[in-house]
Amino acid sequence: MSAAPKRNPVARVLVGVLGFQLLLGGLLFVGDLQNGFSLPRMGPKSPSLSEPVRPGDQTRRFSPNRAVPGSREPLPERLTLTVVSAGAAVLLEGEIEGGDAIRILKQIEELREPPTRAILNSPGGSVQDALELGRALRLKGIDTEMREGDICYSACPYLLAAGVNRTVPNEAFVGVHQHYFGESTLLPAFVAVEDIQRGQGEVMRYLDQMGIDPLVMQHALVTPPDEIYVLLPEELVEYKFIEAPSE
């Protein structure tokens, strides 16, 4: 009797995404019928980001527009580049806004010495700009890293993933959640779902190209935009953001 074939991990992610999109499509359809419809939040409200994270208790309240506990405050209102370490590295910190990829890449190209490392400290922001900038960092062979106390939330992990080599200390914070696509009710539900599906597909392809396990998206897809799922150090290893520490 032959053994049942094993399902590819990426296939498991795609099945999960499909189920999520079908549920989302149903909610959007209901929302089209009932203006202002929203599902009540079930269970207790998530604790604030200042609360310690423990296994099984990793979801925290989040808003990129307010100060983020645990970060080097205050963060810039949009992504900024600062040359550090005698030109060997650039510090990228602040919220990622539309157009930041082109602007930051232009600044990197204008540097006298090309950097070999990018240090990240960002609450996230524009997914498309993070993907565009991330692809460019990989093409340039740049490593990515974080310092103790730095944060990398929302779209920022896509920049982290771009590093040829990636370094995240235990005292840094990496988190994922659903991407925010706005609240406009002008578009039909099927158009909104199609855009989300296309975006999630692009994100998973990107992660796979960068050597990251797309299964990390299972945490993002079930975490609302106003919350963040903080990855534990062992999860960063599991999803291949970083290598396991040597014994």
Side-chain angles (χ1 to χ4, degrees):
M1 184 174 180
S2 61
K6 294 183 179 179
R7 178 177 289 180
N8 186 287
V10 176
R12 296 205 307 272
V13 175
L14 293 174
V15 170
V17 170
L18 177 60
F20 169 76
Q21 305 300 352
L22 291 174
L23 174 61
L24 181 60
L27 296 180
L28 288 170
F29 178 72
V30 174
D32 284 347
L33 298 178
Q34 302 178 20
N35 290 332
F37 171 83
S38 62
L39 286 179
R41 184 178 295 276
M42 305 301 291
K45 190 175 183 181
S46 298
S48 67
L49 270 170
S50 60
E51 296 296 323
V53 174
R54 298 177 295 275
D57 178 27
Q58 297 162 243
T59 303
R60 295 292 180 266
R61 294 195 301 275
F62 173 76
S63 172
N65 297 321
R66 64 168 181 259
V68 181
S71 67
R72 288 179 167 86
E73 300 171 340
L75 289 175
E77 294 183 358
R78 67 180 306 173
L79 198 63
T80 62
L81 181 149
T82 305
V83 177
V84 296
S85 300
V90 291
L91 171 62
L92 301 178
E93 58 181 349
E95 189 170 354
I96 307 169
E97 298 285 351
D100 279 351
I102 295 176
R103 182 174 57 83
I104 293 296
L105 285 174
K106 184 174 184 295
Q107 292 178 10
I108 292 176
E109 294 290 346
E110 292 174 347
L111 294 177
R112 179 176 301 177
E113 298 291 335
T116 59
R117 296 153 40 225
I119 303 169
L120 307 175
N121 188 25
S122 169
S126 168
V127 175
Q128 289 301 322
D129 281 81
L131 297 180
E132 182 179 350
L133 180 55
R135 290 189 180 98
L137 294 179
R138 173 59 66 90
L139 285 175
K140 293 179 179 295
I142 293 177
D143 297 337
T144 54
E145 61 184 65
M146 298 173 65
R147 307 163 299 184
E148 292 185 3
D150 283 344
I151 63 169
C152 189
Y153 292 147
S154 186
C156 176
Y158 305 141
L159 294 181
L160 178 63
V164 176
N165 299 290
R166 301 176 284 267
T167 304
V168 182
N170 287 342
E171 295 76 15
F173 306 92
V174 180
V176 297
H177 65 178
Q178 297 170 11
H179 298 311
Y180 178 73
F181 291 93
E183 299 179 349
S184 173
T185 59
L186 297 177
L187 294 177
F190 75 90
V191 176
V193 172
E194 182 179 330
D195 286 344
I196 295 173
Q197 288 176 327
R198 185 183 301 109
Q200 296 292 0
E202 181 181 2
V203 165
M204 286 190 291
R205 285 193 299 272
Y206 172 89
L207 291 173
D208 185 56
Q209 292 166 356
M210 297 299 164
I212 304 297
D213 188 344
L215 276 175
V216 69
M217 292 300 292
Q218 66 183 307
H219 304 296
L221 291 174
V222 298
T223 305
D226 61 348
E227 297 179 348
I228 201 81
Y229 179 92
V230 182
L231 295 165
L232 298 172
E234 52 265 36
E235 289 176 318
L236 291 173
V237 173
E238 177 184 357
Y239 299 121
K240 302 179 183 179
F241 279 96
I242 58 175
E243 295 183 357
S246 57
E247 298 293 340

